Each structure stands twice: as structure tokens, then as C-alpha cells.
Amino acid sequence: EDQVTQSPEALRLQEGESSSLNCSYTVSGLRGLFWYRQDPGKGPEFLFTLYSAGEEKEKERLKATLTKKESFLHITAPKPEDSATYLCAVQAKSTASKLTFGTGTRLQVTL
Amino acid sequence: DGGITQSPKYLFRKEGQNVTLSCEQNLNHDAMYWYRQDPGQGLRLIYYSQIVNDFQKGDIAEGYSVSREKKESFPLTVTSAQKNPTAFYLCASSTLTKNYGAFFGQGTRLTVV
């Protein structure tokens, strides 16, 4: 069974204080790993797809990396508008399009 | 604009009543999904469909039903058999030809009283 574990559950940062969010996964043949951002009361917004170990993707202050067992979402010099819940999901080669999600990391960035 | 539309945004129902949540997409995606989100539990898959007139149960299908009569539409019915229906419901869609992940609607918050 595919599993995704995210840590920490919650993270409070001051503006400009860089940090990383972790996503550990077990899957029988990774087809893709996905990062989403979710604001309260809204649907998740797609951020990145990673396909193989060693791959990295960047978007503004966010950078996602992937190893064979985990992925990191690095946040550099965060701003208050980066406050949200960040979700990680995996897709296995055997289950076609089905995504398995972690429970998310709730990030709060204060001034 | 292309996207996924869920309606209504908020829904209140009395216990014992069936209720149908709407999901429409104009992205020409083959696959559509329904997820349920509860505090502290992440997103859990209820049903998914990869082609018209075919769908599969997800991890928590009991008490729910779906149909896929058109490519653009994937309505979810929450039946009276669902023991704890109050939750945030999210619909998503994806293409099967390229692995871009799933795109989500804005959700429907269902409250059963």
C-alpha cells in the first residue's frame, strides 16, 4: 500500500527565515510525486511534479527536491503570503492516475 | 477560462437525506476524482473514473455513489448510508496521456445536521 508522511505537522517561521518541509513516501514504483499548496477553504493548487531521484524544480521562493525515499520543499526567505498548507502526493506506476496524499504541513509566516 | 467547477460551495442537509454534489470540467481531461478532506486526515479518495461510463472505488467509497455519463461531468451522491458525511469534498481531474498530476476544484463544504 502506498504511504505518504509529511513533517512537521505545523511550522511557524518569521519572514525571511528559510526552512524545509519533508515528505517521506513508500510506493511500489514511483510514477510521480506532486506538491500542492492549499489555502483555507480552497482547493489545492498545483505547484510541482517530480519524476525521478535527483530531480529539482523551482518556483519563486520554493524549491522541491526528490530522493528515492523522500522529497523536500525548501522555502527561501518566506513572506507572509506563503502561509498555507502544503500537501505532498504520490502516484504509483501500478495504479495509473490515482494519487495518495499526506496530511500536509501547515505553514505560518509572521512579520 | 478552463477549469473545474464545483457547486454549491456550501451545502446543508438534514440527516437521512441523500445529496448530490456537482463537478464539471472543461479541460478535456479523461480522469476525474472525488476526495474527502477532514481536519488532520488529509485527502482520502472516494471514487475515480478514467473513462465515460466507468468508475472505480477509492479508499472510502462506502455510503457514496457516482456516475460518469459525460466526459465533463462527475457528480457525487452522498447517501444516507454514509455515517459521517459532514466534510469538505474536492473534485479533481487529470489527463491520462501526460503525467501532470491532478487539478482541483474549489470544493464543497457539506454540513449534515
Side-chain angles (χ1 to χ4, degrees):
Chain A
E1 185 180 332
D2 305 334
Q3 285 194 323
V4 178
T5 304
Q6 291 188 246
S7 63
E9 283 187 19
L11 182 62
R12 187 182 172 108
L13 300 173
Q14 285 197 320
E15 185 175 13
E17 180 186 2
S18 302
S19 187
S20 297
L21 282 54
N22 178 263
C23 171
S24 297
Y25 65 91
T26 54
V27 63
S28 53
L30 181 69
R31 187 164 185 252
L33 184 141
F34 306 90
W35 281 99
Y36 289 85
R37 170 194 169 123
Q38 186 177 25
D39 293 302
K42 301 281 183 69
E45 175 188 341
F46 173 78
L47 291 174
F48 302 110
T49 305
L50 300 167
Y51 298 103
S52 58
E55 190 174 1
E56 298 182 352
K57 294 272 179 77
E58 280 189 73
K59 180 181 178 180
E60 296 179 355
R61 295 177 293 281
L62 300 177
K63 179 180 175 180
T65 62
L66 181 65
T67 73
K68 288 186 177 180
K69 293 184 179 181
E70 56 192 351
S71 177
F72 292 94
L73 185 65
H74 306 278
I75 304 176
T76 303
K79 297 182 177 182
E81 53 261 42
D82 294 322
S83 297
T85 296
Y86 290 85
L87 300 170
C88 173
V90 296
Q91 187 178 63
K93 289 178 181 175
S94 60
T95 57
S97 56
K98 177 184 171 185
L99 291 175
T100 300
F101 280 84
T103 54
T105 293
R106 202 167 55 253
L107 173 66
Q108 183 180 12
V109 182
T110 59
L111 292 170
Chain B
D1 286 338
I4 303 173
T5 302
Q6 289 187 243
S7 61
K9 189 171 173 65
Y10 299 97
L11 191 53
F12 295 87
R13 278 296 180 269
K14 290 185 178 179
E15 196 171 328
Q17 289 182 334
N18 291 356
V19 61
T20 297
L21 282 58
S22 170
C23 178
E24 304 276 334
Q25 55 100 358
N26 60 4
L27 299 167
N28 198 33
H29 284 170
D30 298 298
M32 296 187 74
Y33 316 80
W34 275 105
Y35 287 88
R36 170 181 171 140
Q37 188 173 34
D38 297 282
Q41 294 202 42
L43 276 69
R44 293 182 290 166
L45 183 64
I46 304 172
Y47 269 98
Y48 63 108
S49 167
Q50 296 180 301
I51 194 170
V52 173
N53 292 323
D54 188 43
F55 45 84
Q56 289 77 41
K57 292 183 179 180
D59 302 315
I60 56 166
E62 186 175 347
Y64 299 97
S65 65
V66 293
S67 63
R68 186 90 186 274
E69 296 177 2
K70 298 186 299 181
K71 187 176 183 178
E72 302 80 18
S73 178
F74 192 40
L76 173 75
T77 296
V78 184
T79 75
S80 57
Q82 168 50 232
K83 297 193 187 316
N84 187 17
T86 294
F88 189 48
Y89 290 89
L90 287 159
C91 178
S93 70
S94 71
T95 175
L96 293 177
T97 53
K98 295 187 179 184
N99 191 18
Y100 292 150
F103 291 87
F104 284 82
Q106 289 303 295
T108 292
R109 185 165 300 281
L110 173 64
T111 302
V112 176
V113 295

